[in-house]
Amino acid sequence: MTNAIWTQGVEWLAAAAPDPRACKREWDHGSGTALLEAGRFWDVVSVPEQLGLLALDILWCDPHQTPGPTLVDTAARRVGFFLPPDPASQWIGSQLRHAGKGSWVAVPPPYRPAGSLEWIIPPDGTGALHPALTLELALRQANGTLAVLAPVTQD
């Protein structure tokens, strides 16, 4: 069963590449990562690691929804959430990055990490993504939690 999900995830993710076959070759025989264009099948919202992991934990608490594909870059200490493309969206926040149309995202294959890039939740090939509003609310809640937990600074 897992191999079928990985195969579907590979096909779905590689479809975002200009040449899906070259993308899969790069995953298997090259650097292990491929640059894929955002904005056609998905956008990516990237946030600092601590915020992203807390938001993902919040998303897992909803029994009616499974979080979508989520990538972590352990070197950059960032978490990337894949969500539906929306050219009109305006993601605003401290250290928040939105990769939409015209942006390129480095991704490993769904079945293994490559360098510092690793899937926390790999794509399953169904096209399931994080709903934008649900993700926004989880990020707000996580940000509020982190603000409360932040050490009090002395003036």
Side-chain angles (χ1 to χ4, degrees), residues 36-57:
L36 302 180
E37 186 174 10
R40 193 167 117 208
F41 296 119
W42 38 260
D43 284 0
V44 177
V45 169
S46 169
V47 299
E49 186 177 57
Q50 189 177 20
L51 175 64
L53 294 176
L54 185 54
L56 187 59
D57 191 49

Side-chain angles (χ1 to χ4, degrees), residues 53-147:
L53 294 176
L54 185 54
L56 187 59
D57 191 49
I58 292 166
L59 291 168
W60 273 115
C61 290
D62 182 350
H64 303 292
Q65 178 127 4
T66 301
T70 309
L71 189 62
V72 65
D73 182 335
T74 57
R77 299 187 56 117
R78 298 191 66 80
V79 173
F81 297 92
F82 284 59
L83 61 154
D86 183 1
S89 70
Q90 302 238 345
W91 288 82
I92 300 170
S94 177
Q95 300 181 19
L96 185 141
R97 299 177 190 147
H98 177 233
K101 189 164 180 66
S103 300
W104 292 81
V105 179
V107 297
Y111 50 85
R112 67 172 168 78
S116 64
L117 296 173
E118 184 173 351
W119 290 100
I120 299 172
I121 302 172
D124 62 9
T126 65
L129 298 165
H130 288 279
L133 181 58
T134 304
L135 176 59
E136 180 183 0
L137 294 173
L139 287 170
R140 284 184 186 192
Q141 183 178 345
N143 198 42
T145 300
L146 291 175

